[in-house]
Amino acid sequence: QVQLVESGGGLVQPGGSLRLSCATSTSVMFITTMGWYRQAPGKQRELVATITRDSNANYADFVKGRFTISRDNAKNTVYLQMNSLQFADTAVYYCIATVFISPAWTDYWGQGTQVTVSS
């Protein structure tokens, strides 16, 4: 089965930056849309950003102008550059990839990486 491995989380001060990465640990035949969700304590998991294979990106309103999603199709990797981080950005961040394994498309999730914004 497909495995997604996340990295880049950590502790950062308000106004700081982090860059998250999510890579497949094994080769896959084809990946379409990839993205990032996050879940803060006491809240439901929410969509942060998505990106299609041809790099068409969509963002949640609360990250527009601060976060940038990108991908490297050759490496089957998706990134999330997070700038101007705020206390409200503290959450566990999860990546997702929609993968074709004949005969079906299936969503796979990363293990989650903690982002903590604190002074």
Side-chain angles (χ1 to χ4, degrees):
Q1 64 178 21
V2 176
Q3 298 183 47
L4 278 64
V5 180
E6 301 183 32
S7 62
L11 177 65
V12 65
Q13 294 184 334
S17 298
L18 287 173
R19 183 173 181 259
L20 306 183
S21 299
C22 176
T24 55
S25 59
T26 60
S27 297
V28 298
M29 299 304 297
F30 194 79
I31 302 175
T32 183
T33 301
M34 305 180 77
W36 293 91
Y37 285 71
R38 71 185 188 185
Q39 187 168 18
K43 296 183 65 177
Q44 296 293 109
R45 190 172 297 187
E46 62 185 355
L47 178 67
V48 176
T50 61
I51 185 167
T52 64
R53 189 169 181 84
D54 62 351
S55 295
N56 180 26
N58 290 295
Y59 298 93
D61 288 340
F62 54 81
V63 303
K64 288 181 179 177
R66 300 189 298 122
F67 292 8
T68 302
I69 188 171
S70 61
R71 65 188 289 168
D72 184 334
N73 291 336
K75 297 179 179 179
N76 288 334
T77 299
V78 63
Y79 306 93
L80 187 68
Q81 177 66 47
M82 304 185 294
N83 299 324
S84 301
L85 283 161
Q86 305 163 3
F87 294 124
D89 296 318
T90 296
V92 178
Y93 285 72
Y94 299 90
C95 64
I96 185 171
T98 303
V99 179
F100 181 76
I101 301 177
S102 184
W105 292 94
T106 305
D107 291 337
Y108 290 88
W109 292 88
Q111 82 281 6
T113 184
Q114 177 71 48
V115 172
T116 302
V117 183
S118 176
S119 60

